[in-house]
Amino acid sequence: MKVSREQVAENRKRILKVASKLFREKGFDGVGVDAVMKAAGLTHGAFYGYFSSKEELIDQACAQGLADVDESWRASSDPLTALAGLYLAADHCENPGEGCLLAALGSEVVRQSGDARRALTDALRARIDILAELSPGDSPAARREKAIATWAGLIGALILARAVDDPALTGELLRTGKAVFGGKRGHARRSGKRPTGRSPLVRHP
Amino acid sequence: MKVSREQVAENRKRILKVASKLFREKGFDGVGVDAVMKAAGLTHGAFYGYFSSKEELIDQACAQGLADVDESWRASSDPLTALAGLYLAADHCENPGEGCLLAALGSEVVRQSGDARRALTDALRARIDILAELSPGDSPAARREKAIATWAGLIGALILARAVDDPALTGELLRTGKAVFGGKRGHARRSGKRPTGRSPLVRHP
DNA sequence: TGTACATCAGTGAACGCGCGTTCACTGATGTAC
DNA sequence: TGTACATCAGTGAACGCGCGTTCACTGATGTAC
């Protein structure tokens, strides 16, 4: 049965949203077209009315998953600490589907088509720029260096914290990452307050 | 045709070696049992004489890929700089198949069976301990913190350098990582000498 | 040491399931009068 | 505003390919005499 134009637009958004979430949770190969469509409340046959292939879905789901980020930490009086606290929160660690696409799919995007990598590259560049503005340092170069090292450290710590089998080690990785990559040394360790939103780094529209 | 006992032992080693390499290059889902056996010089039918399932192959290939690491940097007079130089070398970035399994499969192991994650956890713990011994710091806790942050930073920087589309940004990520996570600040940037071995972080037997 | 036979690693065809993709059909939407 | 018809989003069956897994068969190995 046909469906209104607004329905179509909504469906498209919903497909991209659930696809982006499922990919982050289970990887590109772990989610089939039918699983995505079912999660979006449709049957798999309708898929090719929206996308020409699964690859195109992956590209666009990456782009939207990278665009849809929470930047509330920027407004904090201590942005680095706020970012590290949000990024390395237990909540973010446990819910990759709602979290940072770079950390969830970082080591898989290399094998994807040009478009997905392009989207990731642009997103990373933007995040480096944003963090460089807020980082301490005598020169723009020093601030940029600090920003790159911080992102690398946060993403690496989160990937390891998730990969590891032992909750105690996961906790140590998150805590240490917050302490080292958060702004003021040792400060992040004591401020145990959790972020208000449930899903760090994802905007809730 | 039957084959000698030594042949069998050699074959098993070779299967694990090529599997570990192929998985790092193409991911667990990107490599089939037949591709592994073909690369090992056998036909796919022989596979189940060695392993009971692909999952068991993944577990054991991870274990062996994590065990077989280059630790030559430990003997250096400046181990942190040596490690960062080796780990963030262009060569390591371009050849994931011969490099660190944590970086190549870090965000995929989460979805694997218990054994693969266990192996990764043990390996990471060991690497933290080793690096902690060689890290600067007033107390064991401070050295351990430094070691964890260094591994997180190195692994994060390598994953991003590989994921990214633009060679210039890849280069910047590697250079910055070496400068920040290498031992003496600014030193790593000038010492442009490449490691002697072709494949960083993999022992060549 | 040499021969006869049991063992079993490897081969390649075959099976079955999952998944990406296609397509004829349906019926609600939206347009033309 | 109301009616008739063309459009087209969605449905669900079907196709085909790839991949994990199985199995009957082969022939070299290694053992028993």
Side-chain angles (χ1 to χ4, degrees), chain B residues 30-83:
Chain B
V31 184
V33 164
D34 63 333
V36 171
M37 294 305 276
K38 190 179 237 179
L42 297 165
T43 55
H44 65 277
F47 178 79
Y48 293 87
Y50 289 93
F51 306 95
S52 68
S53 64
K54 187 185 179 184
E55 185 179 316
E56 194 188 315
L57 171 68
I58 290 178
D59 292 345
Q60 299 198 20
C62 281
Q64 103 99 42
L66 286 161
D68 198 23
V69 291
D70 175 9
E71 294 184 333
S72 62
W73 55 273
R74 293 173 67 179
S76 163
S77 61
D78 183 358
L80 269 195
T81 304
L83 170 62

Side-chain angles (χ1 to χ4, degrees), chain A residues 185-205:
Chain A
R185 286 302 324 265
H187 177 261
R189 209 179 306 188
R190 256 178 305 275
S191 81
K193 58 170 189 290
R194 289 166 56 103
T196 52
R198 199 183 148 276
S199 310
L201 290 191
V202 165
R203 182 187 297 133
H204 287 177

Side-chain angles (χ1 to χ4, degrees), chain A residues 50-124:
Chain A
Y50 289 93
F51 306 96
S52 68
S53 65
K54 188 185 179 185
E55 187 180 315
E56 194 187 316
L57 172 68
I58 290 178
D59 292 344
Q60 299 199 20
C62 281
Q64 104 98 43
L66 287 161
D68 199 22
V69 291
D70 175 9
E71 295 185 333
S72 62
W73 55 273
R74 292 174 68 178
S76 164
S77 62
D78 182 358
L80 270 194
T81 304
L83 170 61
L86 213 60
Y87 201 90
L88 297 181
D91 191 57
H92 189 198
C93 184
E94 287 157 17
N95 296 288
E98 336 257 320
C100 177
L101 193 140
L102 268 57
L105 294 166
S107 64
E108 285 178 63
V109 188
V110 204
R111 296 168 217 128
Q112 289 304 317
S113 81
D115 286 3
R117 292 184 73 188
R118 167 84 63 107
L120 187 143
T121 307
D122 292 346
L124 178 61

Side-chain angles (χ1 to χ4, degrees), chain A residues 93-188:
Chain A
C93 184
E94 287 157 17
N95 296 288
E98 336 257 320
C100 177
L101 193 140
L102 268 57
L105 294 166
S107 64
E108 285 178 63
V109 188
V110 204
R111 296 168 217 128
Q112 289 304 317
S113 81
D115 286 3
R117 292 184 73 188
R118 167 84 63 107
L120 187 143
T121 307
D122 292 346
L124 178 61
R125 239 193 288 263
R127 287 180 206 189
I128 291 172
D129 289 345
I130 288 167
L131 189 52
E133 276 177 34
L134 298 164
S135 286
D138 297 334
S139 64
R143 285 192 287 276
R144 184 172 173 85
E145 190 176 67
K146 168 85 172 152
I148 288 175
T150 301
W151 277 120
L154 291 176
I155 291 168
L158 184 59
I159 289 174
L160 291 176
R162 281 177 181 159
V164 143
D165 217 0
D166 167 19
L169 186 53
T170 293
E172 187 185 10
L173 287 164
L174 296 177
R175 258 181 288 118
T176 305
K178 278 186 260 190
V180 175
F181 300 110
K184 312 197 166 63
R185 286 302 324 265
H187 177 261

Side-chain angles (χ1 to χ4, degrees), chain B residues 2 14 21 35 44 46 48 55 57 79 91 107 116 125 127 144 151 167 169 173 175 179 187 189 192 205:
Chain B
K2 201 176 170 180
R14 203 165 60 256
K21 175 180 173 172
H44 65 277
Y48 293 87
E55 185 179 316
L57 171 68
D91 191 57
S107 63
R125 240 193 286 263
R127 287 181 205 189
R144 185 173 173 84
W151 277 121
L169 186 53
L173 288 163
R175 256 182 287 119
H187 177 263
R189 208 179 307 188

